[in-house]
Amino acid sequence: MCIRDRGQGLGVWGHDSQIDHAVADSPMGVFVKADTALPAEAHNASPLMAPNGSILLFHIGNSDPAHAGGLVHFADNPNGPWQSLPSIGCNNPAPLVANNGSVFVGCNNGGFSIWRSDNIFSGKWQKVTTLEFPSSWGAGSSPYLRNEDPYIWMDVRENWHLLAHRYDYRDGWPTNPNQTSPVLVSGHGYSEDGLTWLFNSVQQPYDAQITFENGTRQFFSTWERPHLVLEKGVPTYLVNGVSPYWNRDKPCDKCEPRPGSAHSCVVCKTTSGLDYTYTLVTKLNVPQHS
């Protein structure tokens, strides 16, 4: 599933995005559009398999006017048709299907809460917990540090993990002596039970640069909305929305201001003339299953 803003720039993502279904032979292959899964407004697609074998498509945006605040659609296969399910209000949903068949979803509704449904088709959800982020993740009164775009998964030992887009408004041009270096784009959290969480504030799981197979290296102004391709519970590919604007001598020099920076990297993606992103798939350095 991919997001398309229909040619008007990323600034209109909040009211004119749609979710397209595209197909490739492998995660690193060339994707070709098959159809539109959900018309506007639908954004931040998170598909996964339901316990009964159907496909759940979590998203933000009310693509189905008959079900206000729609969170999730389902279909028997990726080609649809997609039907909405009764649900809760949930911004930037981060869904997970546990080994026992329960469905969890993290919601970034001004505070990151995790909800559980033992039968997602019933529409009944109960709140499990609300995460408490450290100050280095933007908790408290910091005018500079933020986190968003959560993604949660469970490893083969049934430990919980969270990836998020973290950012520092001070990252940009001219250089702020207190900014994060390298540019802050990611964070990782860990829990043994989904209730008590630890967060890595020392090292990012990935930063805003990549080395391609031909040896060339590219920097990005922002690297957001993390998702993983999992094979037998092991992450094998990382999928992100990225903004490629980067001036090597003056990083993010044409981007809009934010607190702590006259040209903040995190808003290059919505700056007029630079307001586009694309999907980047990164192969992870783990053993590949045959």
Side-chain angles (χ1 to χ4, degrees), residues 41-181:
E41 162 58 21
H43 198 81
N44 197 32
S46 260
L48 74 170
M49 191 77 71
N52 68 355
S54 61
I55 298 174
L56 303 173
L57 179 54
F58 288 80
H59 60 91
I60 55 177
N62 188 21
S63 179
D64 185 351
H67 295 83
L71 165 68
V72 57
H73 283 67
F74 78 98
D76 291 333
N77 64 74
N79 300 313
W82 296 92
Q83 303 176 62
S84 61
L85 290 173
S87 56
I88 56 174
C90 181
N91 182 44
N92 279 0
L96 175 154
V97 175
N99 291 339
N100 65 1
S102 294
V103 178
F104 294 84
V105 64
C107 302
N108 199 12
N109 295 340
F112 187 74
S113 298
I114 296 178
W115 296 72
R116 171 178 177 164
S117 177
D118 293 325
N119 179 6
I120 190 172
F121 296 95
S122 72
K124 295 180 180 180
W125 294 84
Q126 61 182 24
K127 187 175 179 179
V128 175
T129 188
T130 297
L131 276 62
E132 295 184 5
F133 295 110
S135 59
S136 58
W137 278 53
S141 58
S142 171
Y144 311 117
L145 299 171
R146 299 285 189 274
N147 75 81
E148 62 178 2
D149 302 347
Y151 177 86
I152 57 176
W153 83 99
M154 189 177 289
D155 66 25
V156 293
R157 296 181 177 88
E158 298 191 346
N159 297 309
W160 295 60
H161 297 265
L162 177 145
L163 285 179
H165 172 225
R166 295 174 62 207
Y167 57 94
D168 184 343
Y169 278 139
R170 296 169 295 188
D171 290 342
W173 183 260
T175 301
N176 184 319
N178 297 313
Q179 73 181 48
T180 305
S181 184

Side-chain angles (χ1 to χ4, degrees), residues 68 233 239 248:
V239 184
R248 185 178 62 179

